[in-house]
Amino acid sequence: MADQKSRAQQLVGDVAPKLAELTDEVLFGDVWARPELSRRDRSLITVAALTALGRIDQLRSHLGLELDNGVTEEELAEVSTHLAFYAGWPAGMSAATTLKQVLDAR
């Protein structure tokens, strides 16, 4: 459906239309489409960065995308555990509790 809004359009299209456009066209249309890394690998990297930075709202969205891109629930749990040692215990715990919410909602 061409009329269906992207996630970025739904979230911020009415208040920040250029940001939504750049998200759709540059971030997901170009950067995420580059062949040097798989979407699965990009998902793992993105979730690690969002966890380390404490960006929970974005993390929630990307955990769902990560599952769609082939990362397993067990791998996601391991990412949270691994990051607890590198990004800090609160970051790992936040990632794990956010993962639980995402999985419960699916």
Side-chain angles (χ1 to χ4, degrees), residues 2-76:
D3 293 335
Q4 188 173 353
K5 290 183 178 183
S6 69
R7 185 70 177 137
Q9 292 294 331
Q10 293 170 17
L11 290 172
V12 298
D14 57 337
V15 296
K18 187 62 177 183
L19 179 59
E21 177 187 331
L22 290 168
T23 299
D24 292 340
E25 294 180 11
V26 178
L27 180 58
F28 288 104
D30 180 26
V31 175
W32 274 77
R34 294 171 51 86
E36 290 80 8
L37 290 172
S38 68
R39 288 182 63 83
R40 183 184 190 284
D41 290 345
R42 288 184 192 280
S43 284
L44 284 167
I45 293 164
T46 301
V47 164
L50 293 172
T51 297
L53 293 169
R55 304 300 198 262
I56 300 304
D57 286 341
Q58 292 293 308
L59 177 62
R60 187 173 289 108
S61 176
H62 277 278
L63 285 169
L65 181 61
E66 197 167 34
L67 290 163
D68 294 342
N69 286 333
V71 180
T72 67
E73 293 178 18
E74 293 80 12
E75 289 170 322
L76 283 172

Side-chain angles (χ1 to χ4, degrees), residues 68-105:
D68 294 342
N69 286 333
V71 180
T72 67
E73 293 178 18
E74 293 80 12
E75 289 170 322
L76 283 172
E78 188 62 23
V79 167
S80 297
T81 303
H82 191 77
L83 285 170
F85 289 90
Y86 286 92
W89 212 260
M93 290 298 289
S94 291
T97 57
T98 303
L99 174 60
K100 180 176 180 357
Q101 293 167 357
V102 168
L103 294 175
D104 287 348

